[in-house]
Every structure is written in C-alpha cells, then in structure tokens.
Amino acid sequence: MAGRRRPPRARAPRQGGSAGGGRGESRLGLARLEGFLAWEAEVAAAERDARAFAEQFPWLPAAERESLERAYAADRLRYAEEVVDRAVERCRRLAARYRAECRRICGRWAALCLSVTLAAALFAVVPAALRG
C-alpha cells in the first residue's frame, strides 16, 4: 500500500562509549528496537485508517480507491514523522539546556567547597601564626 517509509531520524550513538559494549550498547539496541516497533505500529495504523477512509467512497473504482489509500497513508506517515522529529529536536534542546544548567550548578558547588576549604585552612593557620 503506502510502502515503508523510513522511521523518523534516530539519535546518533554517543562517541567514546565503553570499548566492551555493555549496558550502553544494550540500552541503545533496546531503544532502537522499541523505536522500530513503534514506527511499524504507526505504519500499520496509517494503513488501517487509510482503508477505513477509502471505504467511505464505494463508488470509486478500485484503482482510485487504492490511490486514495496510498495518499492518505503517506500523508499520515509524513505527519507522524514530523511530530516525532519535532519531539526529538525538543528533547535535544532540553538536554543541552539541562547539561548547561548542571555545569553551572557544579561550578557553583565547586566554588563553594573551595571557599569553605580555604576558610577552614585560614582559620586553622591564622591563630597558630598569631601565637608564634
């Protein structure tokens, strides 16, 4: 019918993962499998809905009804792909924002810890210097 369009853009794997594979590759593999299955379910739903839509026009010849089904399914899959791509892009923007926020917070904590350590060292050294 509509043919299998490509799934929405997948996230590129991170560089510098563990050399032996392990959990990261396993999670990535499971995420890809989940994405593949979700996309196949979307394709099946689009084809099912396209058939149901085309059945509303029983006076159309079979060839035109099939053409209508293909157009309906293709349009629906194009829309689904756009929705997924927008969600992925939003997730990427949020991840970048959260990473920046995390770096900012970690920097503040490092500055605070360094200040407290220096203050403690100063309070330990100054009284001994004043006595001696």
Side-chain angles (χ1 to χ4, degrees):
M1 180 197 287
R4 298 288 192 231
R5 291 178 47 114
R6 72 163 179 85
R9 284 181 232 123
R11 185 172 83 173
R14 287 186 178 175
Q15 298 297 323
S18 60
R23 282 186 172 184
E25 280 186 28
S26 177
R27 287 183 186 156
L28 182 60
L30 287 175
R32 285 183 176 160
L33 177 61
E34 181 183 14
F36 172 79
L37 293 174
W39 185 252
E40 288 300 308
E42 185 63 32
V43 169
E47 291 173 349
R48 181 191 64 236
D49 293 348
R51 270 189 302 280
F53 179 73
E55 286 173 3
Q56 297 177 21
F57 307 99
W59 61 86
L60 288 176
E64 289 183 22
R65 209 170 22 246
E66 287 176 12
S67 177
L68 180 64
E69 286 180 31
R70 279 193 301 276
Y72 182 100
D75 188 55
R76 164 118 174 233
L77 291 174
R78 188 172 31 260
Y79 176 74
E81 193 173 277
E82 290 170 4
V83 167
V84 170
D85 286 343
R86 281 193 306 268
V88 166
E89 185 55 36
R90 174 73 174 142
C91 288
R92 286 181 178 154
R93 283 195 310 269
L94 284 174
R97 181 175 153 200
Y98 293 150
R99 277 192 300 274
E101 188 68 15
C102 184
R103 281 192 296 271
R104 186 183 65 79
I105 290 170
C106 287
R108 283 185 176 182
W109 271 107
L112 176 68
C113 291
L114 182 61
S115 299
V116 168
T117 302
L118 289 175
L122 186 63
F123 286 131
V125 171
V126 168
L130 290 177
R131 279 186 245 149

